Amino acid sequence: DLYRKVFVFRKDPSDAYVVLRARLEQPLHNFTVCLRSYTDLTRPHSLFSYATKAQDNEILLFKPRPEEYRFYVGGKFVTFRIPEGRRDWEHVCASWESATGIAEFWLNGKPWPRKGLQRGYTVGATAAILLGQEQDSFGGGFDLYNSFSGELTDIYLWDTGLSPDKMRAAFLSLRLPPALLAWKSLSYEVKGDVVVKPRLRE
């Protein structure tokens, strides 16, 4: 149980990462991924990387610069521009539904304008899910200058699109529906220089 704990990625740039294990029974037609990050990086970095053997950017949350997030599904992406941060914790949720191709992006409990992405696509179930690196091949192919340095916490993946109420609940760390990946019952393996520490403040 990682309640009130964080992964600290200590080095910059870094070859470290965390492997997450999720029990996916079938391919995903809908999903929501949420996480909280804290970093002073200004270079590009990967937050959440879900690769299949067919597609290395099956699901990817990537931050090319401080005022921009890229959300990938099946190798295609949409961009969400955000105000330049105050170097504080940022909570993001991204959801996608195949039937409409609607991509939602929420930052700190607030929705951004929805965008269209990969309508009719199916996300493969046999996946390598990593924090801290961007995969260019299944489970590997890292570029150190896309690595994450800083703190990550509250990582979740659901096989549904969350309602607006649940998106806000994720931001506020309230009770959430059962998830494929849940911070409070995370199955993970640390590779390299990553330390689990208590959160410094709420």
Side-chain angles (χ1 to χ4, degrees):
D1 181 358
L2 291 170
Y3 180 62
R4 293 199 174 166
K5 295 201 165 73
V6 299
F7 289 131
V8 182
F9 294 77
R10 298 192 322 157
K11 291 189 352 216
D12 173 28
S14 170
D15 57 0
Y17 59 102
V18 177
V19 181
L20 304 182
R21 293 193 182 79
R23 287 171 193 78
L24 274 75
E25 315 282 301
Q26 64 248 359
L28 299 175
H29 298 281
N30 307 282
F31 69 83
T32 306
V33 58
C34 294
L35 57 84
R36 212 179 292 273
S37 68
Y38 189 32
T39 180
D40 59 5
L41 289 177
T42 54
R43 63 166 174 76
H45 57 278
S46 172
L47 293 161
F48 180 94
S49 172
Y50 176 119
T52 58
K53 292 199 163 90
Q55 175 53 254
D56 55 357
N57 293 337
E58 191 73 281
I59 303 173
L60 175 64
L61 267 180
F62 191 77
K63 215 170 169 197
R65 57 185 67 86
E67 59 284 351
E68 187 181 306
Y69 279 90
R70 275 188 199 164
F71 175 34
Y72 288 74
V73 176
K76 304 266 191 336
F77 70 88
V78 285
T79 296
F80 295 92
R81 288 174 189 82
I82 64 161
E84 176 75 59
R86 300 181 310 281
R87 297 283 177 266
D88 204 346
W89 282 97
E90 283 182 5
H91 183 266
V92 294
C93 288
S95 79
W96 171 82
E97 72 181 14
S98 175
T100 59
I102 289 285
E104 278 187 30
F105 180 83
W106 292 66
L107 175 69
N108 296 336
K110 295 187 180 66
W112 255 231
R114 286 171 278 201
K115 301 198 173 184
L117 182 62
Q118 290 287 57
R119 187 176 193 163
Y121 188 79
T122 302
V123 169
T126 307
I129 308 176
L130 304 187
L131 304 174
Q133 298 286 349
E134 192 248 318
Q135 302 174 75
D136 285 327
S137 58
F138 186 74
F142 308 142
D143 174 348
L144 294 189
Y145 291 95
N146 286 333
S147 64
F148 178 78
S149 166
E151 307 192 11
L152 287 178
T153 188
D154 293 347
I155 292 133
Y156 288 87
L157 175 67
W158 288 272
D159 58 359
T160 57
L162 288 197
S163 68
D165 283 354
K166 291 287 183 279
M167 290 287 201
R168 285 186 281 270
F171 170 58
L172 296 168
S173 298
L174 304 177
R175 272 192 67 172
L176 293 166
L180 298 171
L181 286 172
W183 189 245
K184 296 207 168 110
S185 58
L186 202 62
S187 174
Y188 69 92
E189 188 181 348
V190 167
K191 303 279 193 180
D193 195 345
V194 182
V195 185
V196 176
K197 296 290 285 178
R199 203 180 295 188
L200 289 177
R201 61 184 184 81
E202 286 315 297

